[in-house]
Amino acid sequence: MKFVSTRGAGSSADLRTAVLGGLAPDGGLYLPEQVPLLPESFFARPGGASLGETAVAVLHPYLEELAEPDLKGLVNDVFSFDIPLVRLGSDVRVLELFHGPTLAFKDVGARFLARLVSRCLRDADDRSTVLVATSGDTGSAVARAFLGVPRTRVVVLYPEGQVSPVQQKQFTTLGDNVRALAVAGTFDDCQRLVKEAFADDELRRTVRPISANSINIGRLLPQIVYYFHAVAQLPAGEPPVLFATPSGNFGNLCAGLIAKRMGLPVSGFVAATNVNDVVPVYLETGEFRPRSSRRTISSAMDVGDPSNFDRIRFLYGDDRTAIRRDLTGRRYDDDETRTAIREVRSRYGYTLDPHTAVGYLGLRAVMETHGDVTGVVLATAHPAKFRDEVEPEIGESVELPARLAECLEREDRSTRMAPELAALRIVLTETA
Ligand SMILES: *Cc1c(COP(=O)(O)O)cnc(C)c1O
């Protein structure tokens, strides 16, 4: 499979170029040249396919370069934790994507990317710097995924003081080939710096940065898998699924829309955001107006300029009417999010993290207008990662899983940095 740029210029790239390049040379984002339909036989399996079988079937067309045993090995390595579909009452299910090493859905994309990169760096003298901006979850997932991967190092940029302590400790304490930079600015500043570093000819030549943000196609592809896995876990004869995806940069949702294009039977999707609602506003009015992000309790979705939305527009030929047939936007503020956490807890005894709570609200609202559907909300983080927000609502403590508790004890090794490319250049070159 070849990959093309959302800006449409230049020739197509192979997998290695797309993964190591991050952005296309024209500044666009890579997408597969074609989105293949899965064969009918895939959907006809009695009892549904296992997660591993689903992953191989979904990813094979995109990774033809890999021999079948290699693909199977990679998939088993990445999808080594469960992604269960949990029932809440009669009509809603929660797809728990948070059973990986850092308890967030980003583990899926990051682990897949790390293994792809190590396969792409097959020449002994190849080495690369993974450069990533994070508002929390990305940094921990990417740092953990690449930790100790030979001939790579990870540089994580995060907005100082704006990442929850539990999250921060997950990438600032690792050491080894992981470096954490506390940027005096916002997440958007971090993202801009990463973009500037990638656009800088000298850094590209000397440092060879790889992007591990959700612009990298290597993170997007494995996320298609779990939409299929959700449907495979439903009993036969259920009404079609309406998915609600708590969204920030819109990579996760984009993967769902690709799943639909591959033949996944769905009723539709809900783009659920916090008050950083550029996409819901676009769906409503046709105006796409990126702006500075605002802080919320669902901080991993505090994105003012959602980069993956370009992919969605490209997939639909920039036709808003067509996008709206598949996608409904909803936005919620922090008070509504807190109320949802309380209500779901008292109604079902289930604890939502703030991101999943935004998705849940969007799901409930759109289900009312969508007839007979099975509602599935993607649970993007474990509530323990956001216990400062969650505990006051549910009135008790959320138990911290051992792997999180452990890293809270370790020393923070991050370095402070001004939000300027010159400062980043020094860090990148002094240690290259
Ligand atoms: C990153 C993240 C999101 C947003 O995902 P996108 O693919 O950027 O839309 C939602 N919830 C959590 C917990 C996240 O870490």
Side-chain angles (χ1 to χ4, degrees):
M1 175 75 70
K2 294 272 196 251
F3 297 87
V4 293
S5 165
T6 52
R7 298 220 177 135
S11 53
S12 51
D14 63 10
L15 180 69
R16 182 173 192 275
T17 309
V19 167
L20 297 183
L23 282 180
D26 64 2
L29 278 68
Y30 283 115
L31 272 174
E33 195 170 44
Q34 300 142 23
V35 175
L37 263 183
L38 288 184
E40 289 283 321
S41 58
F42 173 79
F43 299 99
R45 289 184 218 193
S50 72
L51 178 56
E53 287 167 342
T54 302
V56 170
V58 168
L59 294 172
H60 176 72
Y62 303 112
L63 304 177
E64 287 155 326
E65 282 97 329
L66 300 186
E68 178 116 0
D70 200 17
L71 177 59
K72 281 191 175 150
L74 190 149
V75 154
N76 288 333
D77 209 11
V78 172
F79 292 95
S80 57
F81 46 87
D82 282 348
I83 302 183
L85 192 63
V86 172
R87 223 185 153 105
L88 290 193
S90 59
D91 53 355
V92 168
R93 308 278 199 297
V94 182
L95 185 67
E96 292 187 344
L97 296 168
F98 53 69
H99 295 285
T102 72
L103 308 179
F105 86 98
K106 291 192 174 75
D107 284 326
V108 173
R111 285 159 66 79
F112 189 81
L113 178 66
R115 284 151 186 81
L116 263 190
V117 166
S118 76
R119 279 164 172 82
C120 291
L121 292 176
R122 53 193 170 229
D123 303 329
D125 55 345
D126 269 0
R127 53 182 65 245
S128 262
T129 297
V130 177
L131 195 54
V132 65
T134 189
S135 54
D137 278 358
T138 307
S140 39
V142 169
R144 273 296 294 268
F146 279 89
L147 179 68
V149 171
R151 291 175 287 133
T152 67
R153 66 170 171 160
V154 184
V155 178
V156 181
L157 284 74
Y158 70 99
E160 186 173 19
Q162 293 181 38
V163 173
S164 82
V166 176
Q167 284 183 313
Q168 193 168 319
K169 283 270 177 160
Q170 285 184 289
F171 58 84
T172 57
T173 62
L174 293 171
D176 196 355
N177 60 338
V178 177
R179 181 95 190 256
L181 301 175
V183 175
T186 62
F187 171 65
D188 292 333
D189 288 320
C190 297
Q191 222 177 9
R192 171 181 53 80
L193 282 171
V194 168
K195 274 188 191 155
E196 285 173 8
F198 279 102
D200 188 282
D201 284 340
E202 192 198 320
L203 284 176
R204 277 175 37 177
R205 214 175 43 250
T206 53
V207 176
R208 308 183 65 179
I210 294 179
S211 164
N213 278 99
S214 58
I215 59 165
N216 197 303
I217 190 74
R219 269 187 58 187
L220 184 68
L221 296 174
Q223 297 182 347
I224 304 168
V225 171
Y226 46 68
Y227 287 90
F228 282 93
H229 186 55
V231 171
Q233 291 179 72
L234 287 169
E238 292 279 299
V241 171
L242 176 70
F243 281 105
T245 307
S247 294
N249 240 324
F250 282 80
N252 206 5
L253 183 66
C254 181
L257 297 172
I258 294 176
K260 177 168 194 276
R261 193 74 55 101
M262 292 180 77
L264 184 70
V266 294
S267 164
F269 294 85
V270 182
T273 70
N274 58 30
V275 295
N276 295 285
D277 60 352
V278 172
V279 169
V281 168
Y282 163 79
L283 292 171
E284 197 61 35
T285 67
E287 309 241 8
F288 191 79
R289 290 229 184 97
R291 49 173 201 253
S292 306
S293 61
R294 286 169 57 190
R295 287 185 69 176
T296 71
I297 58 168
S298 48
S299 54
M301 309 195 316
D302 294 351
V303 182
D305 187 1
S307 45
N308 271 285
F309 202 66
D310 276 354
R311 282 191 165 120
I312 294 176
R313 291 173 82 159
F314 184 84
L315 276 173
Y316 287 84
D318 206 10
D319 177 351
R320 186 172 64 108
T321 309
I323 299 175
R324 280 165 48 124
R325 273 196 286 273
D326 286 349
L327 189 59
T328 311
R330 284 287 184 277
R331 62 90 90 170
Y332 298 94
D333 66 24
D334 283 352
D335 284 341
E336 292 167 310
T337 307
R338 291 193 178 97
T339 304
I341 294 172
R342 280 200 301 277
E343 282 184 3
V344 167
R345 175 65 183 215
S346 71
R347 198 159 154 198
Y348 304 109
Y350 188 89
T351 309
L352 299 172
D353 94 285
H355 306 80
T356 310
V358 169
Y360 176 84
L361 284 166
L363 183 65
R364 277 286 175 212
V366 178
M367 277 175 83
E368 276 173 20
T369 67
H370 242 70
D372 195 19
V373 293
T374 305
V376 174
V377 57
L378 273 62
T380 48
H382 190 292
K385 290 195 90 165
F386 299 94
R387 57 181 182 164
D388 291 350
E389 287 79 29
V390 171
E391 286 174 351
E393 306 313 321
I394 64 170
E396 54 184 89
S397 61
V398 179
E399 202 186 326
L400 211 55
R403 56 196 130 154
L404 276 192
E406 196 185 294
C407 74
L408 280 179
E409 303 301 315
R410 296 204 209 107
E411 185 199 346
D412 188 313
R413 307 174 185 216
S414 47
T415 311
R416 301 182 65 188
M417 195 186 86
E420 286 151 20
L421 183 63
L424 180 58
R425 187 190 304 279
I426 290 169
V427 174
L428 290 178
T429 48
E430 79 187 354
T431 53

